[in-house]
């Protein structure tokens, strides 16, 4: 009797809410075994756990926490097929210089250093999976369209996402040919409950396809990257053309990407 093929394994940061939750659901439907890194418990996390997802509480702002999560994942998953660096924080720059420095360090740790730690720390497992399956494993970093057109009010956030964009390219070269590394750059895909009608109207008026994209628009692109094993080093906007709109005010707090 033939030995059954083990389920592919995926690691997702911020996988218990909003976009990360929808990515988790999509990969579960494809038969993946999931490790979801989360900071706060949510009803969505409880749903994922009931379906067999391994949840790991971690504060990405603390390097020691990230290292602990790495050790736990490596102890339970010798093969990793997909890593999605989805979790992030964003808020406007603080006025006080010292406060701004503290804020910037936090944003860089969460939005770029923690993803780098995960890419670096799981590379052996990603390579092992690639050699076993005969096709490259995949890393997808969720960046932002504002990594290319930064908003001055959110300079620290935009710079941290630009750093992740650069890391995407660096690791695409570093881990080839066994691991593909790509980025998805969301735009207005899902407004928060706190967004006002005026904020929504403003953002959509500055988007060539003037509608809310929905989390599924990013999920579809991520699944396409899984299916197409000849793409690496790509940074793919999923923004309805907002980055191209003339005269856009770049009100990042009106976006949900």
């Amino acid at each position: 009797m033939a030995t059954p093929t083990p389920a592919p394994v995926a690691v997702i940061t911020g996988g218990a809410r909003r976009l990360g939750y929808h990515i988790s659901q999509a990969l579960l439907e494809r038969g993946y075994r999931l490790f979801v890194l989360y900071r706060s418990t949510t009803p969505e996390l409880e749903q994922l756990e009931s379906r067999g997802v391994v949840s790991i509480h971690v504060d990405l702002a603390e390097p020691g926490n990230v290292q602990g999560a790495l050790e736990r994942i490596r102890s339970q998953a010798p093969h990793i097929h997909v890593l999605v660096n989805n979790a992030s924080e964003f808020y406007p720059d603080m006025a006080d210089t010292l406060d701004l420095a503290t804020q910037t360090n936090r944003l860089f740790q969460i939005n770029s250093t923690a993803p780098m730690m995960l890419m670096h720390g799981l590379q052996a497992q990603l390579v092992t999976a690639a050699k076993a399956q005969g096709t490259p494993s995949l890393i997808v970093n969720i960046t932002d369209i504002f990594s290319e057109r930064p908003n001055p009010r959110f300079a620290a956030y935009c710079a941290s996402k630009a750093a992740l964009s650069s890391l995407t390219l660096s690791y695409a070269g570093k881990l080839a040919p066994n691991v593909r590394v790509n980025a998805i750059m969301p735009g207005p895909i899902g407004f928060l409950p706190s967004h006002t009608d005026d904020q929504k109207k403003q953002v959509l008026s500055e988007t060539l396809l003037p509608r809310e994209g929905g989390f599924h628009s990013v999920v579809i692109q991520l699944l396409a990257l899984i299916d197409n094993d000849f793409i690496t080093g790509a940074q793919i906007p999923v923004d309805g053309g907002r980055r191209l709109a003339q005269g856009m005010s770049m009100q990042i707090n009106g976006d949900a990407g």
Side-chain angles (χ1 to χ4, degrees):
M1 184 175 179
T3 303
T5 303
V9 176
V11 177
I12 307 168
T13 67
R17 63 185 300 274
R18 290 177 56 79
L19 175 59
Y21 172 66
H22 288 270
I23 292 171
S24 297
Q25 283 189 311
L27 294 182
L28 281 174
E29 292 301 319
R30 286 206 171 194
Y32 279 78
R33 179 188 175 207
L34 297 189
F35 290 81
V36 165
L37 277 59
Y38 73 98
R39 187 176 65 178
S40 301
T41 300
T42 64
E44 291 83 359
L45 177 64
E46 294 174 0
Q47 293 176 22
L48 294 174
E49 290 173 334
S50 72
R51 298 178 65 183
V53 168
V54 178
S55 60
I56 302 176
H57 182 262
V58 58
D59 183 354
L60 297 179
E62 298 292 337
N65 272 213
V66 180
Q67 184 62 31
L70 280 168
E71 292 170 0
R72 181 172 172 187
I73 294 167
R74 289 190 296 238
S75 71
Q76 298 184 45
H79 299 68
I80 295 174
H81 302 79
V82 176
L83 166 63
V84 182
N85 283 309
N86 163 71
S88 69
E89 281 190 1
F90 74 87
Y91 25 73
D93 295 344
M94 301 186 78
D96 179 79
T97 301
L98 185 57
D99 289 342
L100 177 61
T102 300
Q103 174 194 46
T104 300
N105 288 337
R106 178 178 175 86
L107 286 171
F108 268 81
Q109 170 60 37
I110 293 171
N111 295 347
S112 52
T113 303
M116 181 176 66
M117 290 179 68
L118 290 165
M119 289 191 288
H120 184 83
L122 297 177
Q123 60 183 307
Q125 287 70 29
L126 289 157
V127 170
T128 298
K131 291 181 177 179
Q133 69 187 353
T135 57
S137 299
L138 175 65
I139 297 172
V140 177
N141 295 319
I142 306 299
T143 59
D144 196 300
I145 57 172
F146 291 101
S147 63
E148 292 184 345
R149 299 188 66 174
N151 180 348
R153 290 183 57 235
F154 294 77
Y157 165 79
C158 294
S160 70
K161 284 295 188 177
L164 183 55
S165 295
S166 180
L167 285 167
T168 299
L169 301 180
S170 295
Y171 274 81
K174 178 183 179 69
L175 301 182
N178 293 302
V179 184
R180 299 183 294 118
V181 188
N182 297 288
I184 296 175
M185 306 161 61
I189 59 170
F191 290 109
L192 292 164
S194 59
H195 290 129
T196 67
D197 288 342
D198 286 343
Q199 286 175 323
K200 294 176 184 178
K201 288 178 182 178
Q202 178 183 346
V203 171
L204 297 183
S205 72
E206 298 163 347
T207 303
L208 298 183
L209 303 179
R211 64 179 185 271
E212 194 175 2
F215 297 125
H216 71 280
S217 61
V218 173
V219 173
I220 291 169
Q221 184 56 63
L222 186 143
L223 295 178
L225 286 171
I226 291 174
D227 292 338
N228 189 340
D229 65 1
F230 198 58
I231 298 178
T232 195
Q235 306 203 54
I236 303 169
V238 180
D239 69 338
R242 184 165 191 246
R243 75 203 183 284
L244 301 176
Q246 296 298 314
M248 67 181 186
S249 64
M250 297 191 293
Q251 288 295 316
I252 200 167
N253 61 328
D255 279 7

